Amino acid sequence: MSQSFTQLPEELQLATSAHVKYIQSLDTRKDEYDYWLTEHLRLNGLYWGLTALHLLGHPDALPRAETIYFVLSCQHESGGFGAAPGHDAHMLSTVSAVQILATVDALDELETRGKGKAQVGQYIANLQNRETGTFAGDEWGEEDTRFLYGAFNALSLLGLLDLIDVDKAVNHIAACANFDGGYGVNPGAESHSGQIFTCVAALTIAGRQDLIDKERLGRWLSERQIAGGGLNGRPEKKEDVCYSWWVLSSLEMIGKTHWIDKDQLIAFILRCQDTEKGGISDRPGDMVDVWHTVFGVAGLSLLRYPGLQPVDEVYCMPKSTTARLLGR
Amino acid sequence: MADQGGSQHGIARTSRVRTEEQKRRDLERIAKYRELEDQVRAHIARGEYAPEVFQLTSKLLRLNPEYYTIWNVRRRCLISGSFSRPLAGSSCLKASSSTSPSATTTTSSTSCSSSSSAATRPAPGSPTAGTSGTTADPAAISTTPDAPGKEDSAATAAAAETQDLSIIKSELTFTIPLLLESPKCYWIWSYRLWILQQAIARLRPAVARRIWEEELGLASKMLGKDRRNFHAWGYRRHVVQQLESATLEGSSMVEAEFAYTDKMINTDLSNFSAWHSRSKLIPRLLDERGADDAARRAFLDKELAQIRNALNVGPEDQSLWYYHQFLILNLVAPEQHPAMTLNFTREDRVAYLTREIDEIKELLEDYDDVKLIYEGLFEYTLYLCQLEERQPDEIERADLVAWLGKLKQLDPMRNGRWADLEKEYGLKE
């Protein structure tokens, strides 16, 4: 995709302004039942929307001060964040909180108005299973490589990775590897693109890519692309825009993005847009949501679609943010 | 982050403009939902986890099973009132019973149960966490009559178990319709596992075991509805692990689980989840059978014959090829996959691999346009050279070049990969 924006045929145009408006509208839908049913995802949703806006080149489309205020209003004494005020603290919302504050360059607000960076780090570190190295999502103990990645992501952004036993966590990831080169939710589980992203990204953050069987994994990942250009999450499953991100970013991390047909994937993601009202869906013609919108846009960014800000394939955040914080 | 709850999958895009009637209905539902939510929150704010709150969580979770905080409120209700006694650290029980709190040295904290604010709850790393905390809270014990006679205490224990068993059964029943409606909702599965963990902590092993045994039926039912549901596969693995454990006075179930993969594969050859499970079970299966070299070889023969028959019917099915690759790895990477070929000589390995390559070549007679066949031939031929520590000979080289040509022609999407292979093995014409 080397053409400039305006030269692209209509079906290859990204409906940027519609997507921006769609994301801006998300917090105004209080008269819709779904708005209330999805409150347990509010902080994640803010991260998804904010990241999409930054990648679309509209970083100021959400008000910064209110964004910071909302994030801090979700924090508990423990340092962890809930999905919204009144929701229990959880790893998933805590990671989103850190990512949002990092993106709007407001991590310092944790010190001045929040419970402090160290307390956030401690909340996350306390969720590590010191015996196996993996992480729980919260005090109730569900364990999953998603939470392990979340811990690595947030703690590295905070510069607090030394609070946890990284080696043990890395050993746990190694135990999740399968003969096909992929990784599952926990040892014994089937390879799954989402979990592959979390494991490969965590190993990348830990500087332990040497543990990855790149040839075998790259081959498995590249086989996810099916007729029509979309990617699926496991063998013999349907394609889905969110896997454009999990699979593609994993391929990027192991240097094998060229093993799939990028132009066909771009066309597939663009076919999933609602060009009129904005937003991206899992497959063409389905209902849009902010989750598929961010992963669609992030996928396009990784595919060097013209006019988008570069995305960091390990963090799913603007590259400018991870460059500023981590020198990546 | 990778949480798919609440996102739209497979729902057709409709006009987002609602009629006045729809808007009115939405507002009514919102009002009802928020009223329920407000009631729960008011109780929480006062630190109340009474039966009334428990009933409210039932209503709210039926409307929204993704609401994880409400599942937590429900747990706290059970711990702080309904169960016969609080357990030290029971709010922090791990889904996995393999964890031990003794290894941790992190901050200490107060009791996990029924504190009024979630914000001050300790994490599982705290010394109160973990599954060893199965002794009764002293405060709870002090509520029983002073110095009870032996018979009294036995009767009390029996009554307590009856009470706990009834709660556990009722909770398991509560989650079934929710799981059937939202089979991919992480929070329901995780709550159910927590309840099952309570069975281990609160009931005698034989009683707890009967509860856990029924979970295999649920896993099968869920997999009957969606053969690839990885939540249900993971749940099944966890249940089996627990049923095998000493905690539940169990023993190995590897034969039964292996038979289950047979059943699933016979229903649907394309079920990679079942093939995957098979690949994980085989090493243990052979060890526990005390299989000698001959038995292991016979086992491999049977597996290869089965997958070859399947490939004859469906050579375009990735699931079958992945399993075939797993078997081939037993031949060419014995250090990682020794189960079936532990004492194979190099000659054995070469003979087996050569036969597989020949069999796959025969597939070409019926299917000359299936790219996975060419990919298999290409990969396995290189393995053969690797085993024999040599470069491809003239004929093999010509084959590799031809197969790569076919791959480029049949599968241009992955041209970047074919180009890399061409370069790596010096196959440029």
Side-chain angles (χ1 to χ4, degrees):
Chain A
M1 282 265 146
S2 52
Q3 305 103 313
S4 81
F5 223 174
T6 48
Q7 288 170 326
L8 291 167
E10 201 181 321
E11 68 271 19
L12 289 182
Q13 294 279 356
L14 180 66
T16 300
S17 62
H19 297 322
V20 172
K21 279 198 197 105
Y22 164 72
I23 294 166
Q24 284 177 319
S25 79
L26 289 172
D27 204 47
T28 64
R29 304 183 171 208
K30 296 181 183 168
D31 61 342
E32 292 177 23
Y33 190 43
D34 261 2
Y35 177 88
W36 299 99
L37 284 187
T38 54
E39 194 177 69
H40 65 283
L41 291 170
R42 199 68 82 228
L43 209 43
N44 303 128
L46 181 53
Y47 154 70
W48 296 327
L50 180 77
T51 304
L53 289 170
H54 275 253
L55 298 178
L56 288 165
H58 290 260
D60 301 320
L62 292 181
R64 182 174 183 273
E66 286 168 41
T67 298
I68 297 167
Y69 177 82
F70 177 75
V71 171
L72 293 176
S73 73
C74 300
Q75 194 173 27
H76 291 240
E77 287 300 325
S78 63
F81 290 77
H87 291 246
D88 284 356
H90 193 279
M91 175 76 86
L92 293 176
S93 30
T94 302
V95 176
S96 286
V98 172
Q99 288 181 296
I100 294 164
L101 293 177
T103 301
V104 299
D105 196 9
L107 282 175
D108 289 344
E109 300 274 3
L110 284 172
E111 302 297 340
T112 51
R113 290 155 64 197
K115 316 288 175 207
K117 283 184 198 175
Q119 191 64 25
V120 179
Q122 201 54 55
Y123 171 80
I124 294 172
N126 281 346
L127 291 171
Q128 185 171 33
N129 180 330
R130 297 279 165 166
E131 195 181 312
T132 65
T134 191
F135 282 79
D138 61 16
E139 67 193 275
W140 305 99
E142 180 189 8
E143 293 178 343
D144 186 322
T145 42
R146 287 180 304 149
F147 308 140
L148 189 159
Y149 163 71
F152 275 37
N153 179 317
L155 289 176
S156 59
L157 290 172
L158 293 168
L160 294 173
L161 265 181
D162 55 357
L163 289 179
I164 57 168
D165 190 335
V166 172
D167 289 343
K168 220 163 214 177
V170 164
N171 289 342
H172 178 79
I173 298 174
C176 294
N178 291 315
F179 76 84
D180 50 28
Y183 298 85
V185 175
N186 45 42
E190 179 185 352
S191 296
H192 179 291
S193 299
Q195 312 297 148
I196 290 173
F197 165 80
T198 64
C199 291
V200 171
L203 289 174
T204 305
I205 292 171
R208 291 304 308 275
Q209 276 208 359
D210 60 298
L211 293 174
I212 302 169
D213 184 343
K214 291 182 187 170
E215 287 301 307
R216 202 167 290 283
L217 175 60
R219 169 184 176 167
W220 190 92
L221 289 168
S222 71
E223 299 284 356
R224 298 303 108 242
Q225 188 166 38
I226 59 179
L231 307 174
N232 62 17
R234 288 185 287 161
E236 309 297 331
K237 298 277 284 185
K238 279 186 187 166
E239 72 277 32
D240 184 327
V241 159
C242 55
Y243 293 111
S244 321
W245 175 255
W246 313 125
V247 175
L248 185 67
S249 56
S250 302
L251 282 168
E252 180 84 4
M253 285 185 258
I254 61 171
K256 308 233 181 274
T257 308
H258 62 292
W259 282 13
I260 59 168
D261 188 322
K262 298 181 198 177
D263 288 347
Q264 283 206 45
L265 178 55
I266 288 173
F268 170 75
I269 298 173
L270 292 172
R271 280 202 303 281
C272 295
Q273 299 179 96
D274 184 332
T275 49
E276 204 184 311
K277 300 196 186 78
I280 298 175
S281 55
D282 59 346
R283 278 184 283 283
D286 282 353
M287 280 288 274
V288 303
D289 60 65
V290 66
W291 156 278
H292 288 97
T293 304
V294 67
F295 294 123
V297 171
L300 290 173
S301 165
L302 211 47
L303 291 161
R304 314 283 186 269
Y305 184 89
L308 292 176
Q309 295 301 306
V311 65
D312 187 308
E313 68 275 11
V314 176
Y315 288 83
C316 194
M317 290 164 65
K319 197 113 194 171
S320 55
T321 303
T322 54
R324 168 166 50 77
L325 285 168
L326 304 165
R328 281 177 55 85
Chain B
M1 273 305 300
D3 188 68
Q4 302 189 32
S7 62
Q8 311 278 351
H9 278 97
I11 301 163
R13 193 177 296 167
T14 50
S15 158
R16 279 186 245 167
V17 181
R18 293 173 298 166
T19 63
E20 285 307 313
E21 174 60 17
Q22 282 169 328
K23 278 186 192 167
R24 197 184 53 76
R25 259 205 316 260
D26 262 6
L27 289 177
E28 275 173 19
R29 289 164 88 194
I30 292 169
K32 209 177 138 207
Y33 178 82
R34 293 198 66 194
E35 194 194 322
L36 206 48
E37 197 182 18
D38 285 345
Q39 285 178 37
V40 175
R41 287 187 178 183
H43 284 289
I44 299 171
R46 293 194 296 269
E48 294 169 6
Y49 291 90
E52 190 193 340
V53 186
F54 183 81
Q55 296 307 328
L56 290 172
T57 67
S58 301
K59 283 189 187 170
L60 199 44
L61 288 168
R62 283 194 188 106
L63 292 177
N64 187 5
E66 296 276 356
Y67 200 156
Y68 69 88
T69 302
I70 301 303
W71 286 111
N72 298 347
V73 171
R74 196 174 177 87
R75 288 175 170 108
R76 289 182 192 116
C77 287
L78 292 179
I79 292 168
S80 63
S82 312
F83 277 130
S84 61
R85 60 192 161 91
L87 299 178
S90 60
S91 78
C92 312
L93 277 176
K94 293 277 187 182
S96 152
S97 64
S98 65
T99 52
S100 146
S102 58
T104 66
T105 54
T106 47
T107 54
S108 69
S109 63
T110 54
S111 164
C112 292
S113 61
S114 69
S115 72
S116 61
S117 163
T120 55
R121 289 187 169 277
S126 68
T128 55
T131 50
S132 72
T134 49
T135 49
D137 188 313
I141 290 172
S142 70
T143 63
T144 58
D146 285 335
K150 246 186 183 173
E151 278 172 27
D152 284 350
S153 75
T156 311
E161 183 170 77
T162 307
Q163 181 187 341
D164 291 346
L165 180 61
S166 142
I167 293 168
I168 286 165
K169 281 188 169 170
S170 150
E171 286 308 275
L172 293 175
T173 307
F174 174 71
T175 52
I176 294 270
L178 301 181
L179 270 181
L180 289 173
E181 204 171 313
S182 314
K184 294 185 176 175
C185 175
Y186 285 95
W187 311 110
I188 313 176
W189 287 107
S190 126
Y191 180 76
R192 196 172 174 91
L193 280 177
W194 182 81
I195 287 293
L196 288 168
Q197 208 58 43
Q198 298 299 309
I200 290 179
R202 294 169 188 278
L203 308 176
R204 281 169 298 146
V207 182
R209 184 171 179 84
R210 279 200 293 281
I211 297 279
W212 277 83
E213 274 170 348
E214 290 188 26
E215 295 309 291
L216 280 180
L218 173 73
S220 297
K221 181 175 180 164
M222 298 305 286
L223 288 173
K225 290 168 71 73
D226 174 2
R227 299 189 275 257
R228 299 292 304 281
N229 183 340
F230 75 85
H231 297 272
W233 277 102
Y235 190 74
R236 185 178 187 95
R237 254 192 319 278
H238 185 82
V239 168
V240 166
Q241 247 171 38
Q242 294 298 315
L243 284 173
E244 288 178 327
S245 71
T247 315
L248 291 179
E249 300 171 343
S251 57
S252 172
M253 295 170 62
V254 71
E255 290 285 353
E257 283 308 288
F258 189 72
Y260 182 73
T261 68
D262 268 334
K263 188 183 141 200
M264 293 304 275
I265 288 163
N266 289 335
T267 313
D268 173 15
L269 277 175
S270 189
N271 187 344
F272 181 69
S273 305
W275 291 111
H276 161 84
S277 178
R278 208 171 171 83
S279 79
K280 292 286 179 185
L281 291 166
I282 286 173
R284 258 185 74 201
L285 182 82
L286 292 173
D287 285 349
E288 290 181 19
R289 281 180 183 175
D292 60 12
D293 287 353
R296 284 169 195 263
R297 181 185 292 252
F299 191 91
L300 175 63
D301 288 341
K302 211 174 149 206
E303 290 300 291
L304 282 169
Q306 179 185 23
I307 199 76
R308 239 185 271 122
N309 288 337
L311 282 171
N312 269 318
V313 187
E316 61 291 292
D317 189 331
Q318 288 188 1
S319 307
L320 303 178
W321 283 103
Y322 283 124
Y323 189 68
H324 194 266
Q325 283 168 25
F326 164 71
L327 297 177
I328 296 295
L329 285 174
N330 275 263
L331 295 169
V332 301
E335 55 295 335
Q336 288 146 25
H337 303 279
M340 287 175 270
T341 59
L342 194 53
N343 290 316
F344 269 40
T345 61
R346 190 170 82 164
E347 287 66 34
D348 289 333
R349 295 175 197 281
V350 168
Y352 267 78
L353 189 54
T354 307
R355 193 186 62 190
E356 286 311 302
I357 292 170
D358 290 344
E359 295 275 357
I360 297 170
K361 280 181 182 162
E362 277 182 31
L363 276 180
L364 283 179
E365 290 167 17
D366 292 321
Y367 309 95
D368 64 352
D369 59 350
V370 176
K371 75 117 181 180
L372 290 170
I373 298 178
Y374 297 102
E375 206 176 338
L377 285 172
F378 189 92
E379 183 185 23
Y380 298 163
T381 300
L382 289 171
Y383 281 154
L384 184 64
C385 299
Q386 206 180 298
L387 265 184
E388 300 193 302
E389 296 172 44
R390 60 176 177 81
Q391 293 297 310
D393 63 27
E394 280 295 301
I395 299 168
E396 284 167 339
R397 193 175 180 283
D399 278 344
L400 290 171
V401 170
W403 294 331
L404 206 50
K406 276 296 206 182
L407 285 169
K408 286 187 207 167
Q409 175 205 329
L410 293 169
D411 187 18
M413 264 187 181
R414 277 157 282 268
N415 265 339
R417 179 160 175 248
W418 312 136
D420 278 2
L421 289 174
E422 188 171 63
K423 204 171 145 201
E424 187 179 349
Y425 295 100
L427 298 171
K428 196 104 187 151
E429 277 294 77

